[in-house]
């Protein structure tokens, strides 16, 4: 059951992405020939205002079929030096409009994240964490290295800020340190009523890609924290702020991939994402409707932000590649020749296949380890 729930959520995010392309194409005068929920053979369809709306056999996402998408392939097949694009086709509109059509899909993923975070901010919730009082990890786990202990931090200290950011609870400390692997951190602590400052160089956890300093929470001090309850406009503002913050964290995570992290653990394939979604929904709603809604929306928002950034990467066959080529044509005021686009796309396909196999390898390792 959890696989079905996870798959449905993933399909929703993909269709919502395609709906962004659909809206932008209609807005900028590109004919949308088809809009399908699912792929493969068409089970049901109805044409309305020039668009064939379809329900297809394989429910693995969907697509928005725009007029002229095949012009590029036809130009390659007939060895043409330019695309013979009609005015209401994808390659026939102004390059800026084409770039905006490409951007609309990822933007809708970002928009969904704002909506999800806004709903969470409007509902409000209670979570449990520990105080900012810490213990040195080596005192409990001798095999673990502690950069904090080397810098002079001691068990019983209360870490009150990291790089000037207040850490009232241990969850705040995790957030500040985890997003700063292999960095010099200025950590303020409270010890016996006095404030002390230490310089700690965080380590990179190569399995998770997160930063660590070798401290653990004082588990004797459990705290229930209630998030603020926002009104409608306040919830939208807070949700937007959280969405931008999630983008910043995700972009920082991309940098970690080049710092020696175990890529198979850092890059999740569709199977692992579906499993995580299904488990989150099942476990969340088993604990209560409110917890289920919040945990599901949180994970969907995080995945949606990842889709937003991934699709904007300047890689051909992704939306970012379409945007890049459109902007090059706009700046240079010249159409890029089909053959050049073809060779660029071959490189893009290579990267996509590489990422797919990395994700697949990671998924296999993940599910093998769970047995």
């Amino acid at each position: 059951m959890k696989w079905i729930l996870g798959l449905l959520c993933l399909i929703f995010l993909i269709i919502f992405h395609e709906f962004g392309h659909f809206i932008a194409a209609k807005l900028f005068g590109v004919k949308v020939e088809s809009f399908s929920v699912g792929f493969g053979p068409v089970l049901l369809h109805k044409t309305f205002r020039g668009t064939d709306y379809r329900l297809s056999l394989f429910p693995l996402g969907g697509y928005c079929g725009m007029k002229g998408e095949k012009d590029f392939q036809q130009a390659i097949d007939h060895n043409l030096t330019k695309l013979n694009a009609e005015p209401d086709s994808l390659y026939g509109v102004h390059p800026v409009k084409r770039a905006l059509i490409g951007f609309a899909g990822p933007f809708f993923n970002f928009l969904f994240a704002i909506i999800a975070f806004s709903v969470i901010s409007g509902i409000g919730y209670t979570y449990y964490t520990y105080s900012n009082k810490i213990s040195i990890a080596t005192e409990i786990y001798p095999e673990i290295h502690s950069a904090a202990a080397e810098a002079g931090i001691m068990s019983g200290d209360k870490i009150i800020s990291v790089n000037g950011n207040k850490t009232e609870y241990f969850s705040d400390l995790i957030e500040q340190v985890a997003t700063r692997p292999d960095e010099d951190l200025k950590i303020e602590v409270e010890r016996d009523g006095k404030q002390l400052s230490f310089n700690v160089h965080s380590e990179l956890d190569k399995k998770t890609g997160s930063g660590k300093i070798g401290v653990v929470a004082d588990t004797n001090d459990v705290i229930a924290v209630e998030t603020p309850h926002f009104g409608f406009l306040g919830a939208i503002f807070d949700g937007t702020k959280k969405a931008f913050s999630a983008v910043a964290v995700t972009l920082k995570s991309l940098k970690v991939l080049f710092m020696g992290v175990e890529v198979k653990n850092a890059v999740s394939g569709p199977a692992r994402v579906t499993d995580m979604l299904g488990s989150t929904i099942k476990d969340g709603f088993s604990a209560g409707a409110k917890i289920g809604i919040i945990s599901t929306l949180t994970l969907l928002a995080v995945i949606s932000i990842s889709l937003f950034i991934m699709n904007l990467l300047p890689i051909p066959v992704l939306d970012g590649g379409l945007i890049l080529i459109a902007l090059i044509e706009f700046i240079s005021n010249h159409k890029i020749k089909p053959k050049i686009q073809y060779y660029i796309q071959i490189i893009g396909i290579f990267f996509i296949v590489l990422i797919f196999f990395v994700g697949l390898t990671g998924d296999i390792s993940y599910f093998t380890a769970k047995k």
Side-chain angles (χ1 to χ4, degrees):
M1 184 63 181
K2 73 173 184 178
W3 281 90
I4 295 174
L5 292 172
L7 189 60
L8 286 173
C9 286
L10 200 57
I11 290 169
F12 167 77
L13 290 179
I14 295 170
I15 292 173
F16 200 75
H17 171 102
E18 293 299 326
F19 188 61
H21 292 309
F22 172 87
I23 293 293
K26 290 279 190 179
L27 183 64
F28 294 122
V30 173
K31 183 179 180 181
V32 179
E33 296 178 329
S34 59
F35 187 87
S36 176
V37 175
F39 292 95
V42 177
L43 300 177
L44 298 170
H45 74 102
K46 183 175 180 60
T47 301
F48 179 72
R49 292 187 177 181
T51 301
D52 190 37
Y53 296 91
R54 303 169 177 174
L55 178 65
S56 299
L57 180 62
F58 303 112
L60 301 174
Y63 60 86
C64 175
M66 290 174 270
K67 182 177 180 179
E69 286 184 302
K70 296 180 180 179
D71 288 350
F72 170 74
Q73 188 58 50
Q74 290 174 353
I76 293 298
D77 293 340
H78 295 87
N79 200 27
L80 302 177
T81 56
K82 65 176 182 178
L83 298 176
N84 295 321
E86 295 182 37
D88 61 345
S89 67
L90 180 63
Y91 290 98
V93 296
H94 192 278
V96 172
K97 290 183 178 180
R98 195 186 327 140
L100 289 172
I101 292 171
F103 177 73
F107 174 73
F108 262 54
N109 287 130
F110 180 70
L111 181 62
F112 174 81
I114 291 177
I115 295 170
F117 282 131
S118 297
V119 170
I120 294 168
S121 297
I123 294 173
Y125 59 95
T126 300
Y127 68 93
Y128 293 88
T129 183
Y130 301 107
S131 72
N132 54 6
K133 186 178 179 181
I134 59 91
S135 296
I136 297 300
T138 51
E139 296 177 5
I140 303 171
Y141 309 101
E143 71 278 6
I144 295 178
H145 175 256
S146 177
E150 287 186 352
I153 295 175
M154 301 169 61
S155 291
D157 287 347
K158 292 183 178 180
I159 296 181
I160 57 177
S161 72
V162 176
N163 283 3
N165 299 299
K166 187 178 178 182
T167 52
E168 187 175 357
Y169 308 110
F170 192 76
S171 55
D172 300 327
L173 175 61
I174 292 174
E175 182 181 344
Q176 293 299 323
V177 174
T179 56
R180 293 179 170 86
D182 195 22
E183 290 187 22
D184 291 322
L185 307 177
K186 183 180 180 181
I187 296 181
E188 302 281 342
V189 309
E190 182 182 302
R191 180 187 297 169
D192 299 327
K194 297 180 181 179
Q195 289 190 12
L196 304 172
S197 180
F198 299 92
N199 293 316
V200 181
H201 188 83
S202 64
E203 298 178 61
L204 169 68
D205 186 332
K206 292 186 177 181
K207 288 186 177 180
T208 64
S210 60
K212 58 182 182 178
I213 58 173
V215 300
V216 294
D218 182 348
T219 56
N220 295 317
D221 197 4
V222 180
I223 300 173
V225 181
E226 188 172 342
T227 62
H229 290 264
F230 294 95
F232 181 74
L233 293 178
I236 293 175
F237 178 78
D238 191 63
T240 303
K241 186 170 68 173
K242 286 178 179 175
F244 276 104
S245 178
V247 170
V249 171
T250 306
L251 288 173
K252 204 165 187 179
S253 300
L254 289 176
K255 184 184 76 173
V256 173
L257 293 176
F258 302 96
M259 294 171 61
V261 69
E262 293 181 11
V263 178
K264 68 178 183 179
N265 291 325
V267 179
S268 296
R272 200 183 335 180
V273 172
T274 303
D275 179 67
M276 286 190 295
L277 271 170
S279 297
T280 299
I281 297 168
K282 184 180 176 182
D283 296 342
F285 279 96
S286 65
K290 187 175 181 180
I291 294 174
I293 291 170
I294 289 170
S295 58
T296 300
L297 285 177
T298 299
L299 184 54
L300 283 173
V302 170
I303 293 173
S304 207
I305 289 293
S306 297
L307 290 172
F308 165 68
I309 292 173
M310 183 189 74
N311 278 285
L312 285 180
L313 293 176
I315 299 174
V317 309
L318 292 180
D319 295 324
L322 178 69
I323 295 168
L324 178 63
I325 290 173
L327 291 179
I328 290 173
E329 289 185 353
F330 171 66
I331 294 169
S332 66
N333 200 28
H334 285 89
K335 293 278 188 181
I336 296 178
K337 292 182 178 180
K339 267 196 174 181
I340 295 176
Q341 289 194 46
Y342 173 76
Y343 291 125
I344 293 174
Q345 284 202 353
I346 291 296
I347 297 171
I349 290 170
F350 169 78
F351 278 109
I352 295 300
V353 170
L354 179 63
I355 292 171
F356 172 79
F357 276 109
V358 169
L360 180 63
T361 303
D363 284 359
I364 292 171
S365 300
Y366 172 78
F367 288 111
T368 302
K370 285 182 70 174
K371 290 183 178 180

